[in-house]
Amino acid sequence: MPHRCDRSPSSPSSALPSRDALAATLRAAGCVFAEDEADMILAAADGDLRAVEAMAARRAAGLPLELVVGWAEFGGRRIVVEPGVFVPRRRTEFLVEQALALAPDASVVVDLCCGSGAVGAALAAALGGVDLHAADLDPVAVRCARRNVEPLGGHVHQGDLFDALPARLRGRVDILAANVPYVPSDEIALLPAEARDHEPRVALDGGTDGLDVLRRVAAEAPAWLAPNGRLLIETSPHQTPGALSALRDAGLHAELAVCEDRPARVAIGTRRVGGAG
């Protein structure tokens, strides 16, 4: 990035706060990984003192670091994020890994409730040459997803779940990734402030038991999945029985993949040839 042409001689890059000084400021504001965050802010500011000061102030005020610097790392890629968009979680990389392991030859991929489009972008980058479609109800998310998905040849649609997708995809989807909102409505207030105060409620609120959107996706998924196509949905430990039940009720073969390290749980529904398994 070129240097700012309006920087005065009295504000050289040497006037930037040191990494340690910036980290101390962030740590005082409650940032646990202050040194790492200081590195990211300094890199994003590219020698601009005013940018460093503005970013540090926004971070100290509680804005998620990813929204401060404008990107989040996901699946080995930088995913563009902007205010008002759900920030992709590193645990969701497990969903991507499961999809790739189960359908390494997938040719049609859908990222439903796509947010920034992180899941779809990661899948498309790994698979190469796929017909990728991402969809979200939120226009802010759709705008952001286009920045991440379209450079990979993907398409982004706005609308309510499957209503947003082209009809030609029915019965052809090999991987249907749906990182649906699954926080129970009454528990939104208990979320960390970074999520509660800075991410859209529509990306978090899963209804009374957190499974409202999951049930809708599961019920319609079989009509869109190709034979042996997979639906993958992130879920939580206490919601696992309900999530798997919803997949089975839809006629899908249901199973659960668990990663204890991150931690992450993914409910997987397969449209088995010849009917439900």
Side-chain angles (χ1 to χ4, degrees), residues 5 30 36 69 74 88 108 112 119 133 147 152 158 176 212 221 273:
C5 61
D36 292 340
V69 299
F74 185 86
V108 179
L112 209 57
V119 170
H133 295 263
R147 300 174 65 186
L152 295 167
Q158 183 179 345
L176 174 54
D212 283 1
V273 176

Side-chain angles (χ1 to χ4, degrees), residues 129-243:
V130 296
D131 185 9
L132 169 64
H133 295 263
D136 203 289
L137 182 63
D138 186 352
V140 178
V142 168
R143 183 179 68 235
C144 186
R146 286 188 174 126
R147 300 174 65 186
N148 294 305
V149 169
E150 290 182 350
L152 295 167
H155 310 276
V156 183
H157 314 280
Q158 183 179 345
D160 185 18
L161 299 180
F162 295 96
D163 290 346
L165 299 178
R168 65 179 178 82
L169 297 181
R170 291 178 68 90
R172 298 181 53 229
V173 179
D174 301 306
I175 295 175
L176 174 54
N179 193 16
V180 303
Y182 60 88
V183 180
S185 301
D186 291 344
E187 296 180 18
I188 298 290
L190 305 178
L191 290 174
E194 289 189 359
R196 184 184 67 241
D197 297 340
H198 298 286
E199 294 183 331
R201 188 179 181 101
V202 69
L204 303 169
D205 194 340
T208 302
D209 63 355
L211 294 173
D212 283 1
V213 184
L214 185 149
R215 291 190 188 96
R216 290 182 58 201
V217 171
E220 294 189 56
W224 293 85
L225 291 173
N228 295 316
R230 268 91 173 188
L231 166 64
L232 299 97
I233 304 182
E234 189 172 276
T235 189
S236 68
H238 72 277
Q239 291 170 327
T240 294

Side-chain angles (χ1 to χ4, degrees), residues 23-40:
T25 298
L26 296 172
R27 190 178 299 105
C31 300
V32 177
F33 302 103
E35 287 79 9
D36 292 340
E37 295 196 10
D39 287 338
M40 291 178 65

